[in-house]
Amino acid sequence: MNDVGLGVENIAVLGPLHISISLVTSICLTIIVSAVGWLLTRNLSRSPSTLQAMVEAIVSVLEEAVAQVAGHHTQRIMPFIASLWIFLVFANLLGLVPGLDSPTRDLSVTTALAITVFLSVHWFGIRTQGLRRYLAHYLTPNPILLPFHLISEVTRTVALALRLFGNLMSLEMAALLVLMVAGFLVPIPLMMLHIVEALVQAYIFGMLALIYVAGGIQSQEERQTV
C-alpha cells in the first residue's frame, strides 16, 4: 500500500481527459483477469483436472448465489454479475501488493462501476420486457410517484459508488495509521483484516448489483401478472 490520500495521481492529461493510475490499473487488471479466464476455459474436459474442478466449483458457487435472487433469469445476468464479483475481488486485494493501490479506493473508479450497474439494470430490463413495458413500471402504482422513482435510481447509484469508495479508503487509511504507530510488528493481522474486508466489500457491491438488476427484470413480470 502506498500513502493513502484523497488525491489521485494523474499520469497523463489529454485535454479534458485525465488518465489516472487507478484507471490504468483497472484496465490492466481487466485485461489480465480476462486473459486468465480465457486460458482456464479454453481446454475444458469431461474428466476435469484439479484446476478445472476448482474453477467449476467457483462458477457453481457464483451461479447458485445469482440463482437465489434472479431465479430463471440466472443465465441471462450471470456473466455480468460474476465478472463484476471477480473484478472487485482482485481490485480490492490489489492494495496488498507492494507499490500498488486498490483502484477501488478511487472515487472515479467506483463511480464508473456504479454507473455500469445503473445502465445494466435498464439494459436487462428493456431486453427482457421491451422498452414500453419497462418504462411503464415507473408510473406504477400511480404516475405521481414518477419523480420519486427517478430520485431513487440516482440516489442508490450514488450510494453504491460512495459505499465501496468509503470502505476501501477507510480500510487503507486505518492500515496506514496502524503501521505508523506499531511499525511492522502487526503485519499479518493487518493483512488478514484487509483480505476479509476486501472480500466482504466485493460481495456486498456485487450482491447489491444483483438485487438491482434482478429487481429491474422481475418487477416487470410482477406487473404483467397483476
Side-chain angles (χ1 to χ4, degrees):
M1 281 179 289
N2 294 335
D3 292 343
V4 178
L6 291 176
V8 178
E9 183 179 351
N10 294 321
I11 59 177
V13 178
L14 303 175
L17 182 62
H18 293 253
I19 309 299
S20 66
I21 293 180
S22 298
L23 175 61
V24 174
T25 303
S26 299
I27 294 174
C28 292
L29 181 60
T30 301
I31 294 173
I32 293 172
V33 171
S34 300
V36 172
W38 178 77
L39 290 173
L40 291 175
T41 57
R42 66 172 184 164
N43 291 318
L44 298 178
S45 171
R46 291 185 178 275
S47 300
S49 62
T50 302
L51 181 59
Q52 180 179 332
M54 291 175 59
V55 173
E56 290 178 352
I58 294 173
V59 172
S60 296
V61 170
L62 295 177
E63 187 173 17
E64 182 178 352
V66 175
Q68 290 179 354
V69 178
H72 62 276
H73 294 290
T74 298
Q75 296 304 316
R76 182 186 295 271
I77 66 177
M78 168 69 180
F80 171 69
I81 298 298
S83 299
L84 186 62
W85 260 327
I86 293 171
F87 173 82
L88 285 171
V89 166
F90 286 103
N92 290 354
L93 292 175
L94 205 58
L96 294 174
V97 179
L100 296 178
D101 288 317
S102 301
T104 44
R105 67 186 283 275
D106 183 351
L107 183 58
S108 63
V109 174
T110 60
T111 300
L113 291 171
I115 292 174
T116 301
V117 173
F118 170 81
L119 296 176
S120 297
V121 170
H122 305 302
W123 167 256
F124 287 111
I126 293 172
R127 284 195 63 187
T128 303
Q129 301 298 329
L131 180 60
R132 179 177 296 181
R133 287 178 178 173
Y134 179 76
L135 294 179
H137 89 279
Y138 287 106
L139 302 177
T140 57
N142 192 304
I144 199 173
L145 295 178
L146 175 62
F148 298 98
H149 284 303
L150 298 179
I151 291 173
S152 69
E153 292 283 351
V154 175
T155 54
R156 76 181 186 184
T157 302
V158 173
L160 200 60
L162 292 178
R163 180 185 291 108
L164 182 60
F165 161 73
N167 286 322
L168 264 294
M169 176 61 73
S170 62
L171 176 64
E172 295 204 353
M173 290 183 67
L176 179 63
L177 291 175
V178 171
L179 288 176
M180 290 174 61
V181 173
F184 292 91
L185 299 178
V186 288
I188 295 180
L190 196 61
M191 289 179 64
M192 293 299 298
L193 174 63
H194 192 121
I195 292 172
V196 171
E197 182 67 15
L199 295 177
V200 168
Q201 292 307 319
Y203 174 79
I204 292 175
F205 191 100
M207 183 57 67
L208 288 174
L210 171 60
I211 292 172
Y212 295 157
V213 172
I217 295 174
Q218 295 171 355
S219 64
Q220 315 312 312
E221 296 179 342
E222 291 172 0
R223 181 177 179 274
Q224 280 186 297
T225 58
V226 173

